[in-house]
Amino acid sequence: MTGLSEKQLASLRKKLDRREAELSAELASINNEAMEASAHLPPLEAGDTVDQADARTHETIRDGEALRDALELRRIADARERMRNGRYGRCIDCDTQIPRERLEVQPSSERCVPCQRLYEAHHPA
Ligand SMILES: [Zn+2]
């Protein structure tokens, strides 16, 4: 028992699909941009120009976004897996039912709020 009706599950699954499509598109565009940027980057010579330093800063920010997107995609895949084995909607740490409002906001949630707080306290981003 997940505590969620079939209908609720179906609607959450749809949300996961939508979010996944969004993230994949975002990742693809980040990758495209990265390819283009590196194609236009002048070969590295001794002594960085301001432009090159700028490009590098931009790249770091973009990598951060790509990493976040990739992590969320991973969580979505995990959520799907939990849907398949009937564990979706339960906290992976303490096994309590995750409030539906929380799942509606973030369908890939894997922990209840107290456990998530605890987790984040021990795993600072
Ligand atoms: Zn918990």
Side-chain angles (χ1 to χ4, degrees):
M1 253 317 268
T2 61
L4 293 162
S5 71
E6 279 301 314
K7 212 173 149 191
Q8 287 165 344
L9 265 179
S11 117
L12 287 165
R13 195 177 284 129
K14 230 176 264 165
K15 279 191 191 198
L16 284 175
D17 287 347
R18 234 189 336 256
R19 187 71 187 131
E20 186 176 47
E22 252 173 50
L23 287 168
S24 304
E26 203 174 299
L27 259 185
S29 91
I30 290 171
N31 284 338
N32 275 341
E33 204 190 302
M35 300 260 272
E36 248 162 59
S38 62
H40 291 123
L41 223 55
L44 267 182
E45 301 286 345
D48 257 12
T49 66
V50 175
D51 275 357
Q52 282 166 332
D54 262 5
R56 231 197 306 285
T57 311
H58 187 64
E59 209 162 275
T60 309
I61 295 168
R62 208 171 41 209
D63 282 353
E65 279 170 19
L67 191 67
R68 262 201 313 277
D69 288 352
L71 278 175
E72 197 176 340
L73 277 172
R74 178 65 213 275
R75 281 213 309 273
I76 289 173
D78 287 351
R80 279 231 181 75
E81 181 62 34
R82 289 197 301 279
M83 277 184 176
R84 264 195 295 276
N85 61 31
R87 299 201 42 85
Y88 181 77
R90 285 191 172 273
C91 174
I92 57 168
D93 285 346
C94 72
D95 207 40
T96 21
Q97 184 67 49
I98 299 171
R100 193 162 69 86
E101 304 79 67
R102 175 166 166 76
L103 293 171
E104 292 289 346
V105 177
Q106 204 179 45
S108 59
S109 301
E110 52 199 4
R111 289 182 182 83
C112 65
V113 175
C115 286
Q116 186 63 37
R117 288 225 181 93
L118 209 64
Y119 178 82
E120 276 166 15
H122 290 102
H123 301 80

